[in-house]
Amino acid sequence: MKIGLFFGSFNPIHVGHLIIANTMATATDLEQVWFVVSPQNPFKKTKSLLHEFDRLDMVERAIADNSRLKATDVEFSMPRPSYTIDTLRKLQEKYPQHGFTLIMGEDNLEQFANWKSYETILNEFALYVYPRPRAVASPFREHPSVRLVEAPLLDISATFIRDSVRANRSIRYMVPEVVEEMIERKKYYI
């Protein structure tokens, strides 16, 4: 099976994530998209990060009705911070019957040369890249392993959602209803 890996902290998962994942699962040759919930992104601060099991729970609930989408906790048992190349290797080892493709926003492609073992990733895996608002064109766009995938441009951020929760503003329509209910019930991000 050809599987797209969508890495992120998903803090929280929002409709932008879901639209990108569904677009990748339905408009490309990917058979499934797996949300790789990262316990700690090496490029992000962890100050406002919910516990990884809470974020995994939100992702699982948000995608429960879509058989093409799956959540994985593969990085939870790995050294922190997690690096994409290490996760790719672990998934290859655990699921040798699958082929894996990395899904990323065009804004991440700008910084791709800063990633651990980025050359290995480019040489051994495909990258499906979706557009992001204000992304600067990267020379990696022309690499044979990189495929640009047309997808809706959404400028929704988890930071905006967390700030809205703290300010007691509505997050309706930015996150799935089940996620909004979890955030309210468990008082996340307050």
Side-chain angles (χ1 to χ4, degrees), residues 128-162:
Y128 285 11
V129 177
Y130 58 91
R132 292 284 290 159
R134 297 176 295 282
V136 176
S138 163
F140 289 114
R141 287 175 65 130
E142 306 306 318
H143 194 281
S145 295
V146 174
R147 175 179 169 189
L148 298 173
V149 177
E150 190 177 326
L153 278 169
L154 295 170
D155 202 7
I156 298 174
S157 79
T159 301
F160 181 85
I161 293 167
R162 292 190 305 271

PDB file of all heavy atoms in Angstrom, residues 128-162:
ATOM      1  N   TYR A 128       5.243  14.826  -1.291  1.00  0.00           N
ATOM      2  CA  TYR A 128       4.068  15.466  -1.872  1.00  0.00           C
ATOM      3  C   TYR A 128       3.885  16.782  -1.123  1.00  0.00           C
ATOM      4  O   TYR A 128       3.697  16.791   0.094  1.00  0.00           O
ATOM      5  CB  TYR A 128       2.829  14.582  -1.732  1.00  0.00           C
ATOM      6  CG  TYR A 128       2.802  13.403  -2.691  1.00  0.00           C
ATOM      7  CD1 TYR A 128       3.920  13.036  -3.441  1.00  0.00           C
ATOM      8  CD2 TYR A 128       1.654  12.654  -2.851  1.00  0.00           C
ATOM      9  CE1 TYR A 128       3.887  11.961  -4.312  1.00  0.00           C
ATOM     10  CE2 TYR A 128       1.611  11.568  -3.722  1.00  0.00           C
ATOM     11  CZ  TYR A 128       2.729  11.234  -4.448  1.00  0.00           C
ATOM     12  OH  TYR A 128       2.699  10.163  -5.311  1.00  0.00           O
ATOM     13  N   VAL A 129       3.948  17.874  -1.860  1.00  0.00           N
ATOM     14  CA  VAL A 129       3.975  19.203  -1.269  1.00  0.00           C
ATOM     15  C   VAL A 129       2.700  19.953  -1.646  1.00  0.00           C
ATOM     16  O   VAL A 129       2.340  20.028  -2.815  1.00  0.00           O
ATOM     17  CB  VAL A 129       5.227  19.973  -1.755  1.00  0.00           C
ATOM     18  CG1 VAL A 129       5.246  21.391  -1.197  1.00  0.00           C
ATOM     19  CG2 VAL A 129       6.504  19.214  -1.372  1.00  0.00           C
ATOM     20  N   TYR A 130       2.031  20.493  -0.631  1.00  0.00           N
ATOM     21  CA  TYR A 130       0.829  21.288  -0.870  1.00  0.00           C
ATOM     22  C   TYR A 130       1.152  22.771  -0.671  1.00  0.00           C
ATOM     23  O   TYR A 130       2.056  23.122   0.082  1.00  0.00           O
ATOM     24  CB  TYR A 130      -0.328  20.848   0.036  1.00  0.00           C
ATOM     25  CG  TYR A 130      -0.038  20.914   1.522  1.00  0.00           C
ATOM     26  CD1 TYR A 130      -0.323  22.063   2.255  1.00  0.00           C
ATOM     27  CD2 TYR A 130       0.499  19.817   2.198  1.00  0.00           C
ATOM     28  CE1 TYR A 130      -0.066  22.122   3.615  1.00  0.00           C
ATOM     29  CE2 TYR A 130       0.757  19.865   3.557  1.00  0.00           C
ATOM     30  CZ  TYR A 130       0.472  21.028   4.256  1.00  0.00           C
ATOM     31  OH  TYR A 130       0.741  21.085   5.613  1.00  0.00           O
ATOM     32  N   PRO A 131       0.440  23.652  -1.385  1.00  0.00           N
ATOM     33  CA  PRO A 131       0.730  25.089  -1.295  1.00  0.00           C
ATOM     34  C   PRO A 131       0.409  25.639   0.089  1.00  0.00           C
ATOM     35  O   PRO A 131      -0.470  25.127   0.790  1.00  0.00           O
ATOM     36  CB  PRO A 131      -0.182  25.704  -2.359  1.00  0.00           C
ATOM     37  CG  PRO A 131      -1.243  24.703  -2.614  1.00  0.00           C
ATOM     38  CD  PRO A 131      -0.685  23.361  -2.264  1.00  0.00           C
ATOM     39  N   ARG A 132       1.149  26.654   0.468  1.00  0.00           N
ATOM     40  CA  ARG A 132       0.905  27.359   1.732  1.00  0.00           C
ATOM     41  C   ARG A 132       0.933  28.853   1.457  1.00  0.00           C
ATOM     42  O   ARG A 132       1.731  29.324   0.647  1.00  0.00           O
ATOM     43  CB  ARG A 132       1.988  27.024   2.763  1.00  0.00           C
ATOM     44  CG  ARG A 132       1.954  25.600   3.261  1.00  0.00           C
ATOM     45  CD  ARG A 132       0.854  25.359   4.250  1.00  0.00           C
ATOM     46  NE  ARG A 132       1.180  26.047   5.484  1.00  0.00           N
ATOM     47  CZ  ARG A 132       0.296  26.389   6.414  1.00  0.00           C
ATOM     48  NH1 ARG A 132      -0.965  26.107   6.243  1.00  0.00           N
ATOM     49  NH2 ARG A 132       0.664  27.006   7.495  1.00  0.00           N
ATOM     50  N   PRO A 133       0.075  29.613   2.135  1.00  0.00           N
ATOM     51  CA  PRO A 133       0.082  31.065   1.949  1.00  0.00           C
ATOM     52  C   PRO A 133       1.466  31.641   2.249  1.00  0.00           C
ATOM     53  O   PRO A 133       2.123  31.229   3.199  1.00  0.00           O
ATOM     54  CB  PRO A 133      -0.948  31.567   2.968  1.00  0.00           C
ATOM     55  CG  PRO A 133      -1.823  30.380   3.243  1.00  0.00           C
ATOM     56  CD  PRO A 133      -0.936  29.181   3.097  1.00  0.00           C
ATOM     57  N   ARG A 134       1.905  32.536   1.423  1.00  0.00           N
ATOM     58  CA  ARG A 134       3.159  33.280   1.601  1.00  0.00           C
ATOM     59  C   ARG A 134       4.422  32.416   1.564  1.00  0.00           C
ATOM     60  O   ARG A 134       5.488  32.847   1.997  1.00  0.00           O
ATOM     61  CB  ARG A 134       3.116  34.101   2.899  1.00  0.00           C
ATOM     62  CG  ARG A 134       2.023  35.173   2.904  1.00  0.00           C
ATOM     63  CD  ARG A 134       1.912  35.908   4.211  1.00  0.00           C
ATOM     64  NE  ARG A 134       1.487  35.099   5.340  1.00  0.00           N
ATOM     65  CZ  ARG A 134       0.244  34.709   5.592  1.00  0.00           C
ATOM     66  NH1 ARG A 134      -0.719  35.038   4.756  1.00  0.00           N
ATOM     67  NH2 ARG A 134      -0.050  34.003   6.652  1.00  0.00           N
ATOM     68  N   ALA A 135       4.340  31.194   1.073  1.00  0.00           N
ATOM     69  CA  ALA A 135       5.540  30.349   0.975  1.00  0.00           C
ATOM     70  C   ALA A 135       6.453  30.883  -0.126  1.00  0.00           C
ATOM     71  O   ALA A 135       5.995  31.327  -1.174  1.00  0.00           O
ATOM     72  CB  ALA A 135       5.160  28.905   0.682  1.00  0.00           C
ATOM     73  N   VAL A 136       7.742  30.831   0.144  1.00  0.00           N
ATOM     74  CA  VAL A 136       8.744  31.262  -0.826  1.00  0.00           C
ATOM     75  C   VAL A 136       9.121  30.050  -1.668  1.00  0.00           C
ATOM     76  O   VAL A 136       9.327  28.958  -1.146  1.00  0.00           O
ATOM     77  CB  VAL A 136       9.992  31.813  -0.094  1.00  0.00           C
ATOM     78  CG1 VAL A 136      11.086  32.180  -1.074  1.00  0.00           C
ATOM     79  CG2 VAL A 136       9.616  33.001   0.773  1.00  0.00           C
ATOM     80  N   ALA A 137       9.187  30.242  -2.978  1.00  0.00           N
ATOM     81  CA  ALA A 137       9.530  29.132  -3.875  1.00  0.00           C
ATOM     82  C   ALA A 137      10.912  28.591  -3.521  1.00  0.00           C
ATOM     83  O   ALA A 137      11.878  29.326  -3.412  1.00  0.00           O
ATOM     84  CB  ALA A 137       9.486  29.586  -5.316  1.00  0.00           C
ATOM     85  N   SER A 138      10.985  27.287  -3.335  1.00  0.00           N
ATOM     86  CA  SER A 138      12.230  26.624  -2.959  1.00  0.00           C
ATOM     87  C   SER A 138      12.842  25.935  -4.174  1.00  0.00           C
ATOM     88  O   SER A 138      12.125  25.421  -5.030  1.00  0.00           O
ATOM     89  CB  SER A 138      11.927  25.570  -1.889  1.00  0.00           C
ATOM     90  OG  SER A 138      12.995  24.658  -1.763  1.00  0.00           O
ATOM     91  N   PRO A 139      14.182  25.881  -4.246  1.00  0.00           N
ATOM     92  CA  PRO A 139      14.813  25.133  -5.338  1.00  0.00           C
ATOM     93  C   PRO A 139      14.464  23.640  -5.285  1.00  0.00           C
ATOM     94  O   PRO A 139      14.533  22.959  -6.298  1.00  0.00           O
ATOM     95  CB  PRO A 139      16.310  25.359  -5.120  1.00  0.00           C
ATOM     96  CG  PRO A 139      16.474  26.118  -3.866  1.00  0.00           C
ATOM     97  CD  PRO A 139      15.143  26.567  -3.393  1.00  0.00           C
ATOM     98  N   PHE A 140      14.036  23.146  -4.126  1.00  0.00           N
ATOM     99  CA  PHE A 140      13.645  21.740  -4.006  1.00  0.00           C
ATOM    100  C   PHE A 140      12.399  21.418  -4.834  1.00  0.00           C
ATOM    101  O   PHE A 140      12.128  20.256  -5.119  1.00  0.00           O
ATOM    102  CB  PHE A 140      13.404  21.346  -2.542  1.00  0.00           C
ATOM    103  CG  PHE A 140      14.654  21.273  -1.721  1.00  0.00           C
ATOM    104  CD1 PHE A 140      14.863  22.171  -0.683  1.00  0.00           C
ATOM    105  CD2 PHE A 140      15.621  20.311  -1.968  1.00  0.00           C
ATOM    106  CE1 PHE A 140      16.022  22.110   0.086  1.00  0.00           C
ATOM    107  CE2 PHE A 140      16.782  20.243  -1.207  1.00  0.00           C
ATOM    108  CZ  PHE A 140      16.977  21.148  -0.183  1.00  0.00           C
ATOM    109  N   ARG A 141      11.643  22.450  -5.200  1.00  0.00           N
ATOM    110  CA  ARG A 141      10.436  22.225  -6.024  1.00  0.00           C
ATOM    111  C   ARG A 141      10.757  21.466  -7.302  1.00  0.00           C
ATOM    112  O   ARG A 141       9.919  20.744  -7.817  1.00  0.00           O
ATOM    113  CB  ARG A 141       9.801  23.558  -6.415  1.00  0.00           C
ATOM    114  CG  ARG A 141       9.094  24.273  -5.307  1.00  0.00           C
ATOM    115  CD  ARG A 141       8.612  25.620  -5.799  1.00  0.00           C
ATOM    116  NE  ARG A 141       7.618  25.430  -6.835  1.00  0.00           N
ATOM    117  CZ  ARG A 141       6.434  26.011  -6.868  1.00  0.00           C
ATOM    118  NH1 ARG A 141       6.104  26.850  -5.925  1.00  0.00           N
ATOM    119  NH2 ARG A 141       5.587  25.772  -7.842  1.00  0.00           N
ATOM    120  N   GLU A 142      11.950  21.665  -7.811  1.00  0.00           N
ATOM    121  CA  GLU A 142      12.347  21.052  -9.085  1.00  0.00           C
ATOM    122  C   GLU A 142      12.958  19.659  -8.920  1.00  0.00           C
ATOM    123  O   GLU A 142      13.279  19.010  -9.906  1.00  0.00           O
ATOM    124  CB  GLU A 142      13.355  21.970  -9.806  1.00  0.00           C
ATOM    125  CG  GLU A 142      12.875  23.405  -9.991  1.00  0.00           C
ATOM    126  CD  GLU A 142      11.525  23.506 -10.671  1.00  0.00           C
ATOM    127  OE1 GLU A 142      11.280  22.769 -11.650  1.00  0.00           O
ATOM    128  OE2 GLU A 142      10.696  24.320 -10.216  1.00  0.00           O
ATOM    129  N   HIS A 143      13.127  19.217  -7.699  1.00  0.00           N
ATOM    130  CA  HIS A 143      13.731  17.893  -7.464  1.00  0.00           C
ATOM    131  C   HIS A 143      12.784  16.804  -7.971  1.00  0.00           C
ATOM    132  O   HIS A 143      11.567  16.904  -7.811  1.00  0.00           O
ATOM    133  CB  HIS A 143      14.018  17.706  -5.973  1.00  0.00           C
ATOM    134  CG  HIS A 143      14.907  16.550  -5.686  1.00  0.00           C
ATOM    135  ND1 HIS A 143      14.449  15.254  -5.660  1.00  0.00           N
ATOM    136  CD2 HIS A 143      16.236  16.487  -5.427  1.00  0.00           C
ATOM    137  CE1 HIS A 143      15.455  14.439  -5.390  1.00  0.00           C
ATOM    138  NE2 HIS A 143      16.555  15.156  -5.235  1.00  0.00           N
ATOM    139  N   PRO A 144      13.322  15.758  -8.602  1.00  0.00           N
ATOM    140  CA  PRO A 144      12.460  14.689  -9.137  1.00  0.00           C
ATOM    141  C   PRO A 144      11.634  13.943  -8.082  1.00  0.00           C
ATOM    142  O   PRO A 144      10.607  13.359  -8.418  1.00  0.00           O
ATOM    143  CB  PRO A 144      13.435  13.730  -9.836  1.00  0.00           C
ATOM    144  CG  PRO A 144      14.793  14.220  -9.549  1.00  0.00           C
ATOM    145  CD  PRO A 144      14.725  15.566  -8.933  1.00  0.00           C
ATOM    146  N   SER A 145      12.029  14.005  -6.817  1.00  0.00           N
ATOM    147  CA  SER A 145      11.271  13.336  -5.758  1.00  0.00           C
ATOM    148  C   SER A 145      10.125  14.193  -5.228  1.00  0.00           C
ATOM    149  O   SER A 145       9.324  13.721  -4.419  1.00  0.00           O
ATOM    150  CB  SER A 145      12.189  12.972  -4.588  1.00  0.00           C
ATOM    151  OG  SER A 145      13.130  12.020  -4.983  1.00  0.00           O
ATOM    152  N   VAL A 146      10.079  15.444  -5.645  1.00  0.00           N
ATOM    153  CA  VAL A 146       9.073  16.381  -5.129  1.00  0.00           C
ATOM    154  C   VAL A 146       7.928  16.510  -6.131  1.00  0.00           C
ATOM    155  O   VAL A 146       8.149  16.771  -7.308  1.00  0.00           O
ATOM    156  CB  VAL A 146       9.702  17.762  -4.844  1.00  0.00           C
ATOM    157  CG1 VAL A 146       8.631  18.776  -4.451  1.00  0.00           C
ATOM    158  CG2 VAL A 146      10.765  17.646  -3.759  1.00  0.00           C
ATOM    159  N   ARG A 147       6.728  16.313  -5.638  1.00  0.00           N
ATOM    160  CA  ARG A 147       5.521  16.475  -6.464  1.00  0.00           C
ATOM    161  C   ARG A 147       4.648  17.535  -5.811  1.00  0.00           C
ATOM    162  O   ARG A 147       4.269  17.414  -4.646  1.00  0.00           O
ATOM    163  CB  ARG A 147       4.759  15.149  -6.547  1.00  0.00           C
ATOM    164  CG  ARG A 147       3.443  15.276  -7.279  1.00  0.00           C
ATOM    165  CD  ARG A 147       2.720  13.953  -7.372  1.00  0.00           C
ATOM    166  NE  ARG A 147       1.369  14.147  -7.834  1.00  0.00           N
ATOM    167  CZ  ARG A 147       0.452  13.205  -7.853  1.00  0.00           C
ATOM    168  NH1 ARG A 147       0.744  11.981  -7.462  1.00  0.00           N
ATOM    169  NH2 ARG A 147      -0.761  13.461  -8.277  1.00  0.00           N
ATOM    170  N   LEU A 148       4.340  18.584  -6.555  1.00  0.00           N
ATOM    171  CA  LEU A 148       3.438  19.616  -6.054  1.00  0.00           C
ATOM    172  C   LEU A 148       2.002  19.149  -6.280  1.00  0.00           C
ATOM    173  O   LEU A 148       1.655  18.726  -7.379  1.00  0.00           O
ATOM    174  CB  LEU A 148       3.694  20.936  -6.760  1.00  0.00           C
ATOM    175  CG  LEU A 148       5.107  21.510  -6.554  1.00  0.00           C
ATOM    176  CD1 LEU A 148       5.324  22.734  -7.420  1.00  0.00           C
ATOM    177  CD2 LEU A 148       5.341  21.839  -5.099  1.00  0.00           C
ATOM    178  N   VAL A 149       1.204  19.207  -5.242  1.00  0.00           N
ATOM    179  CA  VAL A 149      -0.179  18.737  -5.305  1.00  0.00           C
ATOM    180  C   VAL A 149      -1.100  19.926  -5.084  1.00  0.00           C
ATOM    181  O   VAL A 149      -0.996  20.631  -4.075  1.00  0.00           O
ATOM    182  CB  VAL A 149      -0.442  17.649  -4.233  1.00  0.00           C
ATOM    183  CG1 VAL A 149      -1.899  17.225  -4.257  1.00  0.00           C
ATOM    184  CG2 VAL A 149       0.490  16.457  -4.433  1.00  0.00           C
ATOM    185  N   GLU A 150      -1.983  20.139  -6.033  1.00  0.00           N
ATOM    186  CA  GLU A 150      -2.945  21.228  -5.901  1.00  0.00           C
ATOM    187  C   GLU A 150      -3.901  20.909  -4.764  1.00  0.00           C
ATOM    188  O   GLU A 150      -4.499  19.832  -4.715  1.00  0.00           O
ATOM    189  CB  GLU A 150      -3.718  21.399  -7.208  1.00  0.00           C
ATOM    190  CG  GLU A 150      -4.545  22.648  -7.241  1.00  0.00           C
ATOM    191  CD  GLU A 150      -5.236  22.836  -8.578  1.00  0.00           C
ATOM    192  OE1 GLU A 150      -4.656  22.451  -9.612  1.00  0.00           O
ATOM    193  OE2 GLU A 150      -6.354  23.369  -8.576  1.00  0.00           O
ATOM    194  N   ALA A 151      -4.001  21.833  -3.837  1.00  0.00           N
ATOM    195  CA  ALA A 151      -4.884  21.673  -2.683  1.00  0.00           C
ATOM    196  C   ALA A 151      -5.359  23.057  -2.269  1.00  0.00           C
ATOM    197  O   ALA A 151      -4.699  24.055  -2.575  1.00  0.00           O
ATOM    198  CB  ALA A 151      -4.131  20.992  -1.536  1.00  0.00           C
ATOM    199  N   PRO A 152      -6.486  23.134  -1.568  1.00  0.00           N
ATOM    200  CA  PRO A 152      -6.983  24.443  -1.147  1.00  0.00           C
ATOM    201  C   PRO A 152      -5.966  25.157  -0.262  1.00  0.00           C
ATOM    202  O   PRO A 152      -5.297  24.534   0.553  1.00  0.00           O
ATOM    203  CB  PRO A 152      -8.242  24.107  -0.328  1.00  0.00           C
ATOM    204  CG  PRO A 152      -8.631  22.741  -0.744  1.00  0.00           C
ATOM    205  CD  PRO A 152      -7.365  22.041  -1.145  1.00  0.00           C
ATOM    206  N   LEU A 153      -5.850  26.457  -0.453  1.00  0.00           N
ATOM    207  CA  LEU A 153      -4.990  27.291   0.388  1.00  0.00           C
ATOM    208  C   LEU A 153      -5.793  27.739   1.598  1.00  0.00           C
ATOM    209  O   LEU A 153      -6.732  28.515   1.467  1.00  0.00           O
ATOM    210  CB  LEU A 153      -4.534  28.528  -0.385  1.00  0.00           C
ATOM    211  CG  LEU A 153      -3.354  28.378  -1.314  1.00  0.00           C
ATOM    212  CD1 LEU A 153      -3.208  29.612  -2.187  1.00  0.00           C
ATOM    213  CD2 LEU A 153      -2.086  28.136  -0.545  1.00  0.00           C
ATOM    214  N   LEU A 154      -5.455  27.219   2.750  1.00  0.00           N
ATOM    215  CA  LEU A 154      -6.149  27.597   3.983  1.00  0.00           C
ATOM    216  C   LEU A 154      -5.131  28.173   4.952  1.00  0.00           C
ATOM    217  O   LEU A 154      -4.095  27.575   5.191  1.00  0.00           O
ATOM    218  CB  LEU A 154      -6.817  26.387   4.623  1.00  0.00           C
ATOM    219  CG  LEU A 154      -7.939  25.760   3.813  1.00  0.00           C
ATOM    220  CD1 LEU A 154      -8.365  24.440   4.415  1.00  0.00           C
ATOM    221  CD2 LEU A 154      -9.115  26.709   3.747  1.00  0.00           C
ATOM    222  N   ASP A 155      -5.456  29.302   5.509  1.00  0.00           N
ATOM    223  CA  ASP A 155      -4.534  29.946   6.439  1.00  0.00           C
ATOM    224  C   ASP A 155      -5.093  29.858   7.856  1.00  0.00           C
ATOM    225  O   ASP A 155      -5.273  30.854   8.536  1.00  0.00           O
ATOM    226  CB  ASP A 155      -4.307  31.402   6.011  1.00  0.00           C
ATOM    227  CG  ASP A 155      -3.019  31.966   6.568  1.00  0.00           C
ATOM    228  OD1 ASP A 155      -2.245  31.199   7.170  1.00  0.00           O
ATOM    229  OD2 ASP A 155      -2.785  33.172   6.415  1.00  0.00           O
ATOM    230  N   ILE A 156      -5.361  28.631   8.276  1.00  0.00           N
ATOM    231  CA  ILE A 156      -5.840  28.378   9.638  1.00  0.00           C
ATOM    232  C   ILE A 156      -4.649  27.856  10.420  1.00  0.00           C
ATOM    233  O   ILE A 156      -3.945  26.972   9.957  1.00  0.00           O
ATOM    234  CB  ILE A 156      -6.956  27.322   9.648  1.00  0.00           C
ATOM    235  CG1 ILE A 156      -8.168  27.812   8.859  1.00  0.00           C
ATOM    236  CG2 ILE A 156      -7.367  26.981  11.075  1.00  0.00           C
ATOM    237  CD1 ILE A 156      -9.250  26.768   8.703  1.00  0.00           C
ATOM    238  N   SER A 157      -4.422  28.392  11.601  1.00  0.00           N
ATOM    239  CA  SER A 157      -3.305  27.903  12.399  1.00  0.00           C
ATOM    240  C   SER A 157      -3.781  27.412  13.752  1.00  0.00           C
ATOM    241  O   SER A 157      -4.736  27.952  14.327  1.00  0.00           O
ATOM    242  CB  SER A 157      -2.247  28.988  12.575  1.00  0.00           C
ATOM    243  OG  SER A 157      -2.631  29.911  13.572  1.00  0.00           O
ATOM    244  N   ALA A 158      -3.098  26.405  14.254  1.00  0.00           N
ATOM    245  CA  ALA A 158      -3.402  25.888  15.588  1.00  0.00           C
ATOM    246  C   ALA A 158      -3.132  26.967  16.640  1.00  0.00           C
ATOM    247  O   ALA A 158      -3.840  27.046  17.648  1.00  0.00           O
ATOM    248  CB  ALA A 158      -2.579  24.634  15.866  1.00  0.00           C
ATOM    249  N   THR A 159      -2.146  27.823  16.391  1.00  0.00           N
ATOM    250  CA  THR A 159      -1.848  28.922  17.324  1.00  0.00           C
ATOM    251  C   THR A 159      -3.050  29.852  17.435  1.00  0.00           C
ATOM    252  O   THR A 159      -3.452  30.236  18.537  1.00  0.00           O
ATOM    253  CB  THR A 159      -0.608  29.718  16.852  1.00  0.00           C
ATOM    254  OG1 THR A 159       0.498  28.815  16.772  1.00  0.00           O
ATOM    255  CG2 THR A 159      -0.288  30.858  17.796  1.00  0.00           C
ATOM    256  N   PHE A 160      -3.654  30.201  16.302  1.00  0.00           N
ATOM    257  CA  PHE A 160      -4.835  31.061  16.307  1.00  0.00           C
ATOM    258  C   PHE A 160      -5.971  30.395  17.091  1.00  0.00           C
ATOM    259  O   PHE A 160      -6.675  31.046  17.866  1.00  0.00           O
ATOM    260  CB  PHE A 160      -5.283  31.382  14.877  1.00  0.00           C
ATOM    261  CG  PHE A 160      -6.478  32.294  14.817  1.00  0.00           C
ATOM    262  CD1 PHE A 160      -6.318  33.665  14.882  1.00  0.00           C
ATOM    263  CD2 PHE A 160      -7.758  31.773  14.709  1.00  0.00           C
ATOM    264  CE1 PHE A 160      -7.419  34.514  14.840  1.00  0.00           C
ATOM    265  CE2 PHE A 160      -8.865  32.607  14.667  1.00  0.00           C
ATOM    266  CZ  PHE A 160      -8.694  33.988  14.737  1.00  0.00           C
ATOM    267  N   ILE A 161      -6.134  29.094  16.895  1.00  0.00           N
ATOM    268  CA  ILE A 161      -7.191  28.360  17.591  1.00  0.00           C
ATOM    269  C   ILE A 161      -6.933  28.368  19.102  1.00  0.00           C
ATOM    270  O   ILE A 161      -7.837  28.651  19.895  1.00  0.00           O
ATOM    271  CB  ILE A 161      -7.316  26.928  17.038  1.00  0.00           C
ATOM    272  CG1 ILE A 161      -7.828  26.991  15.586  1.00  0.00           C
ATOM    273  CG2 ILE A 161      -8.221  26.067  17.916  1.00  0.00           C
ATOM    274  CD1 ILE A 161      -7.695  25.687  14.827  1.00  0.00           C
ATOM    275  N   ARG A 162      -5.707  28.070  19.510  1.00  0.00           N
ATOM    276  CA  ARG A 162      -5.381  28.082  20.945  1.00  0.00           C
ATOM    277  C   ARG A 162      -5.589  29.468  21.549  1.00  0.00           C
ATOM    278  O   ARG A 162      -6.153  29.609  22.638  1.00  0.00           O
ATOM    279  CB  ARG A 162      -3.935  27.623  21.174  1.00  0.00           C
ATOM    280  CG  ARG A 162      -3.708  26.168  20.857  1.00  0.00           C
ATOM    281  CD  ARG A 162      -2.342  25.683  21.334  1.00  0.00           C
ATOM    282  NE  ARG A 162      -1.221  26.464  20.835  1.00  0.00           N
ATOM    283  CZ  ARG A 162      -0.573  26.237  19.702  1.00  0.00           C
ATOM    284  NH1 ARG A 162      -0.948  25.230  18.906  1.00  0.00           N
ATOM    285  NH2 ARG A 162       0.455  26.988  19.342  1.00  0.00           N
TER     286      ARG A 162
END
